């Protein structure tokens, strides 16, 4: 059994590193490919190793995806808002620090989330009906707080509502896209890349990327502890509660930790939420038989080992992913003196091509519309967090039974 777990961890770390380092690609894409070729991989790896491969790839991806978010400015669907402070730090020459802060948050989340996942597995299923109803109320309160603390609440509300309408449109008609390998949630890739990635790259400054220098992680230990706890709590909440995603957690965290004010703390918290979400999603699968993301849904189709075996695989993958991501971040100095405008155009072309490949013409339409909406906060100097209405409004409607 242990040999199969180790084999699965090795394969999952390799696949998760590949998916994490390619901008705009989610671990769900790999999960779709593996499930599509399930018969072949079952024959090669066996059910235990294949299950460990999928979960290890998911955990590894939550670490490694800090690389494209930081150095290319393109978000993963789960960490859309984290790209803003991470890429800003890169443009100041602190890209390696940003990556190390991100993986520190993920590592802290692993330490906290694994035991808490076991607690949730044992205690929370009986309270699930009550949780389901209160999701919408929680999100309305979070949005209300963000609006009343903003200097231009009416503009913020308008952006939130328009992006919400776009999110409803994209999710409602996701079946129009090509998603034979990635699932209907693939539409989140062009939606969030347009709102938070391309819209920022098109307005980015010209010139060269500053020389990258690592001067240490400049965040107080107390802030590390606070942000880790907040991020892990948010990740556990959205990982357990139905209808939510880590993108929703990012929006809630932005109302507590200002990503434009405390960039390092926010970056650490959002990456902690992303990793915690992965671990708690596994507990929700075993406790409630509910699938929180594409990888967990793929796991549900396999003969599964015990939850403990998969947790061990996830912890081993997290340790390996931490070392790999830190090692990759040390190559940051190589992007110094590159032409920023040319690099941005190359990344934009890649994301457009990937959107067409994964979601077809409908995904391209969503990408164009999302980019247009994402421009608005930048034009009027408002935080881009209000574009999270694209995720939060559909979840609110779902919570209140309005499909």
């Amino acid at each position: 059994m242990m040999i199969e777990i180790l084999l699965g961890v090795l394969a999952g770390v390799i696949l998760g590193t590949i998916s994490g380092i390619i901008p705009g690609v989610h671990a769900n894409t790999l999960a779709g490919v593996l499930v599509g070729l399930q018969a072949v991989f079952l024959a090669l790896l066996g059910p235990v190793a294949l299950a460990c491969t999928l979960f290890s790839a998911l955990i590894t991806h939550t670490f490694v995806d800090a690389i494209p978010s930081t150095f290319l400015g393109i978000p993963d669907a789960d960490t859309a808002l984290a790209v803003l402070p991470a890429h800003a730090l890169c443009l100041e020459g602190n890209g390696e620090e940003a990556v190390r802060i991100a993986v520190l948050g993920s590592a802290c989340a692993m330490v906290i989330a694994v035991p808490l996942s076991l607690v949730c597995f044992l205690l929370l299923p009986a309270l699930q009906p009550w949780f389901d109803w209160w999701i919408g109320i929680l999100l309305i309160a979070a949005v209300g707080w963000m609006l009343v603390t903003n200097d231009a609440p009416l503009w913020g509300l308008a952006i939130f509502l328009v992006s919400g309408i776009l999110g409803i449109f994209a999710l409602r008609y996701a079946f129009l896209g090509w998603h034979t390998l990635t699932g209907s949630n693939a539409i989140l890739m062009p939606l969030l890349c347009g709102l938070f990635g391309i819209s920022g790259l098109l307005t980015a400054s010209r010139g060269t990327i500053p020389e990258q220098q690592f001067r240490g992680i400049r965040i107080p230990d107390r802030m590390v502890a606070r942000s880790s706890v907040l991020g892990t709590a948010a990740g556990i909440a959205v990982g357990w509660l139905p209808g939510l995603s880590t993108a929703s957690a990012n929006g809630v965290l932005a109302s507590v930790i200002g990503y434009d004010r405390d960039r390092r703390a926010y970056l650490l918290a959002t990456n902690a939420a992303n990793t915690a979400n992965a671990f708690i999603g596994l507990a929700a699968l075993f406790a409630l038989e509910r699938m929180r993301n594409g990888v967990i849904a793929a796991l549900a189709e396999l003969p599964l080992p015990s939850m403990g075996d998969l947790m061990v695989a996830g912890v081993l993958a997290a340790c390996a992913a931490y070392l790999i991501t830190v090692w990759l971040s040390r190559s940051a100095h190589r992007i110094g003196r590159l032409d920023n405008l040319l690099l941005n155009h190359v990344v934009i072309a890649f994301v457009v091509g990937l959107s067409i490949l994964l979601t077809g013409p409908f995904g391209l339409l969503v990408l164009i519309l999302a980019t247009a909406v994402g421009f608005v906060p930048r034009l009027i100097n408002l935080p881009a967090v209000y574009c999270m209405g694209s995720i939060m409004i559909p979840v609110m409607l779902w919570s209140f039974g309005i499909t």
Side-chain angles (χ1 to χ4, degrees):
M1 176 72 75
M2 182 54 66
I3 293 177
E4 292 176 292
I5 293 175
L6 292 176
L7 179 62
V9 170
L10 176 62
V13 168
I14 293 172
L15 294 174
T17 300
I18 294 171
S19 68
I21 207 167
I22 299 175
V25 174
H26 195 276
N28 289 351
T29 306
L30 276 177
V33 173
L34 291 175
V35 170
L37 301 174
Q38 178 177 339
V40 175
F41 283 102
L42 278 174
L44 291 174
L45 300 175
V48 173
L50 180 55
C52 291
T53 296
L54 285 170
F55 189 61
S56 297
L58 175 62
I59 297 299
T60 302
H61 185 99
T62 66
F63 283 76
V64 182
D65 66 1
I67 299 291
S69 295
T70 300
F71 296 115
L72 301 179
I74 288 295
D76 178 274
D78 289 334
T79 55
L81 281 177
V83 70
L84 302 173
H87 195 53
L89 288 170
C90 174
L91 295 178
E92 294 173 359
N94 299 315
E96 185 176 349
E97 181 191 3
V99 173
R100 290 186 180 231
I101 288 173
V103 297
L104 176 62
S106 292
C108 292
M110 178 199 69
V111 173
I112 302 171
V114 170
L116 286 182
S117 296
L118 300 176
V119 173
C120 292
F121 172 79
L122 295 173
L123 300 181
L124 293 188
L127 302 175
Q128 199 60 34
W130 186 81
F131 288 146
D132 290 349
W133 192 85
W134 277 94
I135 295 171
I137 301 297
L138 172 66
L139 291 181
I140 289 175
V143 173
W145 174 256
M146 287 190 293
L147 290 173
V148 299
T149 55
N150 183 31
D151 294 333
L154 291 181
W155 270 111
L157 178 61
I159 295 169
F160 184 81
L161 293 176
V162 171
S163 64
I165 293 171
L166 177 60
I168 293 170
F169 168 75
L171 295 171
R172 172 66 179 83
Y173 295 102
F175 63 89
L176 295 175
W178 301 338
H179 47 75
T180 53
L181 292 179
T182 57
S184 59
N185 283 339
I187 201 65
L188 289 176
M189 183 261 177
L191 176 65
L192 294 176
C193 279
L195 289 169
F196 299 99
I198 291 182
S199 57
L201 293 179
L202 289 174
T203 57
S205 60
R206 297 173 179 266
T208 59
I209 297 174
E211 182 179 351
Q212 302 295 308
Q213 295 182 353
F214 180 59
R215 305 176 182 86
I217 297 178
R218 288 169 290 179
I219 178 171
D221 292 343
R222 200 160 121 193
M223 187 64 72
V224 170
R226 176 176 179 268
S227 299
S228 298
V229 171
L230 286 174
T232 303
I236 288 176
V238 300
W240 188 270
L241 298 175
L244 296 180
S245 67
T246 312
S248 304
N250 290 348
V252 175
L253 285 171
S255 66
V256 181
I257 307 173
Y259 68 81
D260 53 346
R261 185 181 66 253
D262 298 320
R263 292 182 300 184
R264 290 171 172 83
Y266 182 78
L267 180 60
L268 192 146
T270 51
N271 281 273
N274 196 20
T275 301
N277 177 278
F279 280 106
I280 196 66
L282 183 67
L285 172 64
F286 279 88
L288 305 173
E289 297 184 355
R290 292 184 178 182
M291 284 72 76
R292 300 306 193 220
N293 58 58
V295 175
I296 298 299
L299 279 173
E301 298 182 15
L302 300 174
L304 289 178
S306 69
M307 177 177 159
D309 289 338
L310 288 174
M311 284 288 183
V312 169
V315 171
L316 293 175
C319 294
Y322 179 91
L323 297 175
I324 289 171
T325 310
V326 170
W327 178 74
L328 289 173
S329 72
R330 290 175 179 169
S331 302
H333 64 278
R334 296 179 181 175
I335 71 169
R337 296 180 297 278
L338 289 178
D339 184 87
N340 197 25
L341 184 63
L342 176 61
L343 180 61
N344 288 346
H345 287 172
V346 170
V347 173
I348 290 170
F350 177 83
V351 172
V352 170
L354 190 63
S355 296
I356 296 173
L357 177 65
L358 296 181
T359 56
F362 180 72
L364 180 60
L365 172 63
V366 170
L367 182 67
I368 294 171
L369 294 175
T371 301
V373 174
F375 262 121
V376 178
R378 293 171 171 86
L379 291 175
I380 59 178
N381 197 29
L382 275 183
V385 64
Y386 297 108
C387 292
M388 286 307 301
S390 58
I391 300 295
M392 299 175 79
I393 287 181
V395 172
M396 291 176 190
L397 296 178
W398 176 89
S399 175
F400 297 131
I402 306 172
T403 56

